[in-house]
Amino acid sequence: MTENRPSKPHSGRQNLDPHLERYAARTAGMTASEIRALFAVASRPEVVSLAGGMPNLAALPLDTLSTQVAEIIAEDGLVALQYGSAHGIPVLREQICEIMALEGIKAHPDDVVVTVGSQMGLDMVTRLFCDPGDVVIAEGPSYVGALGSFAAYQAQVVHVAMDENGLVPELLREALAQTEKAGRRVKFLYTIPNFHNPAGVTLAVERRAEILEICRDHGVLVVEDNPYGLLGFDGQTYPALRSTDPDNVVYLGSFSKTFASGLRVGWVLAPHAVREKLVLAAESATLCPPTFNQMIVSRYLATHDWKGQIKKFRENYRERRDAILSALDQYLPPGCSWTKPDGGFYVWVTVPEGVDTKAMLPRAVTARVAYASGTGFYADGFGSRQMRLSYCYPTPERIREGVRRLAAVLESEMDLARTFGNVSARQIQGPQNPSPDTV
């Protein structure tokens, strides 16, 4: 590879992509997500997929929603099906402020920018703040969709470890000091404080102010990604980082986990000056978010008991969380450990030394169970002894069966490791990456 240019194909070898030398240098960081790559395999009905974080929408009132959608078309179709503002429709922005107030956020609708899912908001924030070579601090592990956006804009990720209480302040302080000492420019801390994806842990309330103070002292912006904040199994909502430090926190929210992921409606709450640039970035990316989808969400919030609906979701996911924790206790071999989430969608499992979860994945799929290997959640190659298990979509019975199958594969892998050494050193056949979507 030459600087900013891929090398020309060796003589005698055919280049299958005639556009290879035309691509921008930043496309070198665009690679397929490990969590998406085996979607077709892991979504087969005979495979129990514990890989993708697809919300379980069975509890939604579909009859009521279909009536409301028809009413929107009949009453406001000429508006709903027309172009709109890149800012988002005003009534939905007001409703979003009411939702954020549940987490202590005081916000003005003008500072809310509606996006096509919160992933679009994260991508725009990265585009606005990161030049090639800039550093983003992120928890280790971190959300795979965020790592993809950071790589696409050629930002470098420095991971900071978590414990059972979330991001460790002292380790954050050390990482910032070391990065600055090396002459590298840190643009922001990206964090998922509540029911973390993929780790399942929640940032302790007593740590939140300290982390904000550390970031202010180092002149580092905080990007708070909070799609799961209302899905605590005991109904508790935690104070958002944004509620404490509105001038230095950009907040990302979404209706994908609390209403319907397919509508792709999210938002960014940003300091006023940042909001202006976000609107411009949204215009260049999509011109405007779909007005129709926004009106569906707004009508749902205005006419439906959405808090009661979220309570049903919480009960649904709590039942599934209980099923997976019980199955892990029952089936997983000694030497394994896992987090115990109080909300959200995920359990983070650590397996014994000598087992590589990415190398093991093809054999798990053969045994008709899928998971997300830990390496997909790190930018630096770590995570080979970890896996993310998602309990949100399968039934409790399917979850238990999936864990039983996974345990059998893991025990076989541990036997191989004891006999032949580290699994990762052996030849790997077949598909390498798990499944579903990146949510």
Side-chain angles (χ1 to χ4, degrees):
M1 298 283 285
T2 57
E3 185 177 0
N4 295 329
R5 287 287 183 184
S7 62
K8 293 184 178 180
H10 294 298
S11 175
R13 301 176 68 182
Q14 184 179 6
N15 179 11
L16 298 180
D17 184 354
H19 305 287
L20 184 62
E21 294 194 8
R22 298 185 178 128
Y23 294 130
R26 63 181 172 272
T27 61
M30 298 173 67
T31 58
S33 161
E34 290 196 13
I35 315 305
R36 179 175 55 83
L38 278 191
F39 178 79
V41 174
S43 60
R44 296 195 314 239
E46 69 272 20
V47 176
V48 178
S49 178
L50 303 174
M54 293 184 294
N56 192 310
L57 304 181
L60 281 176
L62 297 182
D63 290 345
T64 300
L65 290 174
S66 64
T67 299
Q68 291 178 345
V69 169
E71 290 173 351
I72 291 171
I73 293 293
E75 299 169 8
D76 297 299
L78 294 180
V79 176
L81 302 177
Q82 185 56 274
Y83 287 123
S85 165
H87 204 164
I89 62 175
V91 62
L92 180 59
R93 290 190 277 114
E94 291 173 1
Q95 291 166 317
I96 286 170
C97 289
E98 295 172 5
I99 292 170
M100 292 188 295
L102 298 176
E103 297 172 321
I105 295 174
K106 296 179 181 179
H108 193 282
D110 286 351
D111 290 330
V112 174
V113 179
V114 179
T115 58
V116 184
S118 62
Q119 181 68 33
M120 176 186 169
L122 177 58
D123 191 85
M124 291 194 306
V125 169
T126 308
R127 175 152 60 109
L128 288 181
F129 284 99
C130 289
D131 291 314
D134 284 344
V135 172
V136 172
I137 302 288
E139 291 129 341
S142 189
Y143 167 51
V144 66
L147 299 181
S149 285
F150 304 152
Y153 292 105
Q154 299 174 287
Q156 304 298 311
V157 176
V158 172
H159 287 295
V160 177
M162 294 180 285
D163 60 18
E164 67 275 10
N165 293 310
L167 185 65
V168 180
E170 274 306 310
L171 297 181
L172 173 62
R173 188 177 282 109
E174 291 174 10
L176 287 168
Q178 291 172 3
T179 306
E180 291 166 0
K181 185 177 180 180
R184 304 169 70 191
R185 184 167 58 169
V186 179
K187 284 300 183 69
F188 56 79
L189 164 68
Y190 171 74
T191 179
I192 307 171
N194 301 319
F195 320 124
H196 189 274
N197 177 8
V201 300
T202 293
L203 180 61
V205 172
E206 58 269 21
R207 289 185 178 181
R208 299 187 178 214
E210 184 178 1
I211 285 171
L212 290 170
E213 181 181 1
I214 292 169
C215 289
R216 283 196 306 271
D217 289 346
H218 288 265
V220 171
L221 181 71
V222 177
V223 177
E224 177 181 16
D225 195 355
N226 190 33
Y228 308 98
L230 298 182
L231 294 177
F233 297 140
D234 61 0
Q236 179 180 1
T237 55
Y238 293 90
L241 301 176
R242 167 77 191 203
S243 68
T244 302
D245 193 355
D247 293 329
N248 198 49
V249 177
V250 173
Y251 177 98
L252 305 176
S254 175
F255 290 104
S256 291
K257 311 304 186 295
T258 56
F259 179 27
S261 54
L263 289 174
R264 308 306 303 130
V265 179
W267 71 90
V268 183
L269 173 65
H272 189 78
V274 177
R275 183 264 296 179
E276 291 292 325
K277 289 183 171 57
L278 283 170
V279 172
L280 296 176
E283 288 176 347
S284 69
T286 64
L287 192 61
C288 62
T291 303
F292 185 35
N293 294 19
Q294 294 178 73
M295 291 179 73
I296 292 173
V297 175
S298 180
R299 180 72 65 96
Y300 167 80
L301 294 173
T303 62
H304 191 71
D305 178 15
W306 59 269
K307 292 181 182 178
Q309 187 67 56
I310 290 175
K311 183 175 183 291
K312 291 180 181 178
F313 284 140
R314 288 200 306 262
E315 293 169 350
N316 183 320
Y317 297 137
R318 181 174 58 226
E319 179 185 22
R320 285 158 169 77
R321 186 277 314 266
D322 291 345
I324 199 167
L325 291 182
S326 174
L328 291 170
D329 276 328
Q330 180 177 356
Y331 293 117
L332 254 57
C336 297
S337 61
W338 52 88
T339 57
K340 297 175 174 59
D342 294 322
F345 287 6
Y346 308 108
V347 172
W348 186 244
V349 177
T350 299
V351 300
E353 289 279 1
V355 176
D356 185 319
T357 59
K358 184 174 180 179
M360 185 178 75
L361 183 55
R363 290 174 278 278
V365 172
T366 300
R368 295 172 297 135
V369 62
Y371 58 84
S373 60
T375 54
F377 302 96
Y378 286 88
D380 51 13
F382 284 87
S384 62
R385 285 183 54 208
Q386 280 77 39
M387 66 177 82
R388 187 191 75 176
L389 302 183
S390 174
Y391 51 80
C392 51
Y393 190 76
T395 63
E397 294 74 24
R398 292 276 285 172
I399 289 170
R400 282 189 281 269
E401 175 59 19
V403 173
R404 187 192 67 78
R405 295 175 187 177
L406 177 60
V409 175
L410 185 54
E411 287 178 345
S412 176
E413 205 74 1
M414 291 168 64
D415 287 341
L416 287 172
R418 283 190 290 266
T419 303
F420 297 107
N422 196 321
V423 176
S424 63
R426 301 198 300 272
Q427 182 69 29
I428 301 167
Q429 301 288 335
Q432 300 303 303
N433 304 314
S435 71
D437 52 285
T438 59
V439 295

